[in-house]
Each structure stands twice: as C-alpha cells, then as structure tokens.
Amino acid sequence: MTEKLELPLAQTGVPGLDTVLGGGLPELSFNIIGGSPGSGKTTFAQQIMFSLAHPGRKALFFTAMGEPPVKMLRYQQQFSFFDFGKVDSSIQFISLAAEVEGGNYDDVLAQICEQVRLHSPALVFIDSFRSFVEGAKGEHREVHALQAFVQKLVTQMTGWNATTFLVGEYLVNEADRNPIFTVADGIIWLTQNVHRNAMVRKIQVLKMRGLKHRPGLHTFRIDRTGIEIFPRILPAPEPSGQARRADRTGRISTGVATLDQMLGGGVPVGYSILVVGPSGSGKTMLATEFLAEGARVGETAVLALFEKTPSQMMNDKLDKLVDSGRVELLNVRSLDVSVDETLHEIVKMIDRLDAKRVVLDSLSGFELALAPEFRVDFRESLYRMTTVLSEKGVTLLMTSELEDRFSDFRFSPYGNAFLVDAIIVQRFIEIGAQLKTIVSVVKVRGSAHSRDMRLFEITEDGIVIGDGPAPYSDILLGGPRCLPALPAA
C-alpha cells in the first residue's frame, strides 16, 4: 500500500470552528473539551452533536455528576441548534450518576460499554469526565485507579468506531501531567476572562492530530444561536513589489477637491487614511464627504460607528446615503467586543456589498469599546485591521480624536502613525479672537503632497478649504497662542 489515506473530516456546524481546526473534525478521533465552569463546554459539545447526529450517525451523550439530563436539557433547548426531533431517535442522553456515586470505576466503564453496544453510536460524549474523580470513593479514588480506568476507557473507545469526546473542568496546566492528555487526538480549550466589568470568551486548539490547525486564542461568543467563533484574521504574506504595485493603481477623490490637490491628486486606491483632530474640528464631516463621493461614482461603502449612535451621527447627506443603500452602517457600541469579532463583521459586510470604501469612526471610541485585555495590544490590533482591510482592496478612512495642546505637534494618540498610508491633521488656531480650524496633509506614502496648513471651514455648501497657507500658522510649532487680527485688505 503506497497511496496515502485521506483523513475524513466532519463539518462541526459551529461557525468558525472548522477554520480553526484546519478544515473540520477528524472522524474516529478521541477529543478532550476542557475549560473552567461556565466557559461554554456543554453548549459547545451539544452544538457539535446536534449538527453531526442523524439517523445514520447516532450519538450518545453521557452525563456524570455535573447535572441531571433533564435540567441540562431544560437550558440547552433555548438554543436554536437544539432539535427535539433528534432526541431519543438520533441522540440518546444517559445518566451515569448512580454508577459514579457507587465509587467503582469498573461499574462506570461497564455501563458505558453496554450502552455503546446497544446503540452502536458514531458519536460519544461524556460530560463531565472530571466528575469521575470527584465522585469516586475509597480506594477507587486513588490516582492509579483513575489511570487504569482511563487506559481501559481509551482502549474501548478506540474499538468503538466512533468519534468520542470527554468534557471536563480541566485547567490548562493539567495537560502536562494528566495521563489522559497524552492519548487524546484533539484537545480544545475554552476560557472566559473577566477584567473589572468586562468578560471575553476565547477558544484554543492545543492539539489536533493530522491537521494544521490555526494556533493562538480565538474569540467566541454565545447567544441564542449557540456558539460563534471568530478566528484570528492575519495578514497574508507580502506580495512581490511588482504584484503590490499592480494592485494599487489609480486614485480616488475624498469628495473635497482642494484636499485632493493637497494629497497629490487624491488618495491611492487601497490606502489607509488617518484623520486626526480635536473634538468638533470636522473629522466626521470629512468622512461623510468621503462616503458621498464614493456613492456619486457608483461605489458602496461600510461605515462602522464606535462612539456615536446612528441618530447622533446622522446628517441629511448621510441619511440619504444610507437610505439609497450605498452606505451600510455597523454600530459597534457594546462593551466587551474584540478586534477579531469586529473585523469579521466588517469583512462580511465588505464581501456582501462589494464595498470599495470603509470608514471607522472613531478609533478612540473603538479602543473604549474593546474589552480591557484587548486594549493592551491595541497597536498590534490596528496593524492587523489596516493590513487585512487593505488586502480586501478597500480604501480605509479612520478618524481619531487628538487633544489640541497648542504646544506640540502630534499625528496620532497611539504612536502608530507608521501603520497607515496617509495622515490628515486638523487643528484649532485663534485669529482675531475667533477659533479657526486648519488642515494639513502630513503623510502620503510614496507620493508627493502639499505641506501647507490651510484654513478649513464647514459651510452650508459643504467643506471649504483655503487656496493657500493659513496666516500665522506658526502657532502649531510653539508660536504665540493669541494672534492679532489680519490686516484689512
């Protein structure tokens, strides 16, 4: 026999899980689903079971001392994946509480094997396996007795011609010393981390024989549909210089003609633009013009809001863009979100709309919306977000609030200006006892651009930018805070 055997993979039915696993779940594998209480292990296992089970692929779900089947089913049936039609036909729930309470591992194993013999299942789940240790009594609670039980159980499971799962409240550091982990084909870990009032759920595939699974921690959420996983989206390998130049041809307009001139003829397609400035300087209005220009030339766009509600954000122009279907809103204001979850939603909308432009308003609100542990790596998160969206071929405009200190000249509150392709800065100055706004183009990667600081004004007709440098703009470089009025013409 010289031909390699293909490893049969079953599609789990858990959104995102097959991607993390590397294509699906290997059939006839022995898997461990571990994690702390409340991390979602039982929901995760049952979602897989209800997806895979059918009359030709029956499933057994054994419960030990974790909770009675009736109580467990009362809560699990609240999820949309729960199918009453499969219970007692394709799926059997069997309690092992009496055998475990008796304290004899041999009795437990005998009951499991007898039920497998009677039903000939293709899927076997044991929840919670940790209860065997806690419930056993006397000499049978000794470590050597548990090890012997595990070895016998695994030996039996290998001959069942079934895909098997042991579910338990294990800790990650147990994988180094618990004998059960050495014989498992797959190890999947679920965790929930709480920081102050924020909670984030993550899943990790520690081991999956025969597959190149996606490493690292992946965010997931639990709602009425069950579990949805958001695999970490990583930038693709950098293409060759020639291929990269071929992908970025042409420029698009921002919707403000004078600003296009300052940028050197518009924004190169696929660039990421950072618009920074203090509150009230006109960042959102500039983003609105950017979206309106896209709609004018027949493009669709995605607008992700992180700090305003749609009612707070909307103006007449944006209302019309949304009503026309050219712009679609993604309101991301709930706390405890993750970068990966947000990025998945944006990418999904881009693909569905074939969007060419994306606006994130604003990065300051996005950082606040993230769970605290994600804020630590915010720069890395921004790098992945800008790179992945650039690979989608969209032109990305992000706004960010930047405190106007009058005494220094900063381009980004995060020290990550190098992550974007272009930077537009808005500042306040005082002229003749009036507060004015100026705008300047700090950076356009690979392109000549104006370095003028020009007056920026929002009028009833839209955004108006001066034709030349703003007067007395040396205030930005530490000049006088109050400037005299301009001389009369």
Side-chain angles (χ1 to χ4, degrees):
M1 179 176 174
T2 58
E3 295 184 1
K4 291 184 178 180
L5 293 176
E6 292 292 333
L7 188 64
L9 301 178
Q11 303 304 298
T12 62
V14 179
L17 178 58
D18 295 335
T19 299
V20 174
L21 292 175
L25 185 70
E27 295 187 4
L28 307 184
S29 59
F30 163 42
N31 305 280
I32 293 176
I33 300 173
S36 59
S39 57
K41 301 181 302 299
T42 298
T43 300
F44 180 72
Q46 291 204 15
Q47 189 169 349
I48 294 174
M49 179 177 65
F50 274 95
S51 175
L52 295 179
H54 55 72
R57 180 193 279 161
K58 295 185 177 181
L60 292 184
F61 196 97
F62 293 98
T63 61
M65 295 188 66
E67 52 188 345
V70 173
K71 179 182 178 182
M72 177 183 62
L73 294 177
R74 182 185 305 141
Y75 291 101
Q76 291 300 312
Q77 65 186 258
Q78 305 304 315
F79 295 107
S80 61
F81 65 75
F82 192 95
D83 185 353
F84 279 103
K86 292 185 177 183
V87 178
D88 293 332
S89 57
S90 300
I91 298 173
Q92 298 288 331
F93 290 90
I94 301 169
S95 176
L96 297 172
E99 289 77 9
V100 173
E101 184 65 23
N104 192 311
Y105 287 130
D106 291 336
D107 291 345
V108 175
L109 183 60
Q111 174 66 353
I112 294 175
C113 292
E114 176 62 16
Q115 294 297 328
V116 170
R117 184 188 65 81
L118 290 174
H119 297 283
S120 299
L123 302 163
V124 177
F125 296 79
I126 302 177
D127 182 14
S128 154
F129 186 72
R130 185 62 175 262
S131 299
F132 294 133
V133 182
E134 303 300 330
K137 298 178 180 178
E139 63 176 359
H140 297 286
R141 193 167 181 172
E142 297 297 327
V143 175
H144 72 272
L146 175 61
Q147 291 177 343
F149 169 73
V150 170
Q151 292 172 356
K152 292 177 182 178
L153 178 60
V154 171
T155 301
Q156 293 289 339
M157 293 167 70
T158 304
W160 285 344
N161 201 32
T163 306
T164 53
F165 302 83
L166 299 185
V167 185
E169 287 80 29
Y170 297 104
L171 301 176
V172 175
N173 57 12
E174 288 188 64
D176 297 329
R177 61 179 185 270
N178 195 315
I180 197 172
F181 294 96
T182 62
V183 294
D185 299 310
I187 302 175
I188 302 174
W189 228 262
L190 282 69
T191 61
Q192 56 179 353
N193 301 312
V194 179
H195 183 84
R196 295 180 181 175
N197 294 323
M199 183 182 71
V200 177
R201 300 179 187 270
K202 291 187 177 182
I203 187 170
Q204 182 179 15
V205 178
L206 297 179
K207 176 183 180 182
M208 190 58 60
R209 283 177 176 155
L211 294 180
K212 185 179 180 181
H213 62 271
R214 188 169 294 190
L217 296 169
H218 308 274
T219 307
F220 73 93
R221 69 180 176 201
I222 303 177
D223 55 25
R224 294 300 294 269
T225 63
I227 285 177
E228 181 177 2
I229 300 170
F230 304 95
R232 281 174 57 84
I233 300 179
L234 299 174
E238 185 73 9
S240 66
Q242 185 175 358
R244 184 167 58 250
R245 286 190 296 271
D247 290 338
R248 291 189 170 183
T249 56
R251 292 182 179 240
I252 61 174
S253 172
T254 62
V256 182
T258 307
L259 182 58
D260 291 342
Q261 295 173 6
M262 295 174 66
L263 289 164
V267 181
V269 174
Y271 266 34
S272 56
I273 315 159
L274 180 62
V275 180
V276 296
S279 178
S281 60
K283 301 183 298 296
T284 299
M285 286 301 299
L286 188 56
T288 300
E289 295 296 335
F290 177 76
L291 294 171
E293 176 62 19
R296 188 187 69 80
V297 297
E299 296 175 350
T300 53
V302 174
L303 169 59
L305 300 179
F306 295 105
E307 61 182 22
K308 302 182 182 71
T309 63
S311 60
Q312 292 172 323
M313 170 75 178
M314 288 300 187
N315 51 55
D316 291 340
K317 180 172 287 188
L318 197 53
D319 269 332
K320 293 177 181 178
L321 292 174
V322 173
D323 291 342
S324 70
R326 289 294 180 184
V327 174
E328 187 159 325
L329 290 175
L330 174 63
N331 188 19
V332 191
R333 298 192 72 234
S334 60
L335 296 179
D336 306 350
V337 301
S338 73
V339 173
D340 293 296
E341 183 174 353
T342 303
L343 193 50
H344 270 271
E345 292 298 326
I346 294 175
V347 168
K348 188 188 304 180
M349 293 175 70
I350 290 172
D351 292 339
R352 177 166 49 83
L353 299 171
D354 191 25
K356 303 301 181 186
R357 301 186 184 210
V358 174
V359 169
L360 307 183
D361 188 30
S362 70
L363 294 184
S364 308
F366 185 30
E367 184 184 22
L368 289 176
L370 291 175
E373 68 174 271
F374 292 112
R375 298 177 198 167
V376 177
D377 300 320
F378 192 55
R379 292 179 66 187
E380 184 269 342
S381 300
L382 281 182
Y383 164 73
R384 287 198 296 118
M385 177 171 287
T386 56
T387 305
V388 169
L389 292 180
S390 178
E391 289 172 352
K392 298 292 293 181
V394 300
T395 304
L396 172 65
L397 186 148
M398 302 174 287
T399 69
S400 182
E401 187 163 328
L402 185 66
E403 180 184 357
D404 201 337
R405 298 180 180 176
F406 290 96
S407 59
D408 57 14
F409 196 27
R410 295 180 299 148
F411 305 145
S412 168
Y414 311 107
N416 51 21
F418 67 94
L419 296 178
V420 296
D421 300 306
I423 300 174
I424 299 171
V425 175
Q426 296 171 320
R427 296 292 304 269
F428 287 134
I429 62 173
E430 185 179 341
I431 299 178
Q434 288 187 330
L435 195 62
K436 299 290 186 179
T437 306
I438 63 170
V439 63
S440 58
V441 176
V442 174
K443 167 185 175 181
V444 180
R445 181 168 285 146
S447 173
H449 60 88
S450 170
R451 294 190 177 274
D452 291 346
M453 298 176 182
R454 303 191 184 189
L455 287 174
F456 177 98
E457 187 177 1
I458 299 175
T459 70
E460 293 183 356
D461 297 325
I463 293 175
V464 176
I465 297 178
D467 293 331
Y472 300 104
S473 57
D474 61 330
I475 185 173
L476 296 176
L477 304 178
R481 180 165 183 176
C482 295
L483 299 177
L486 294 178

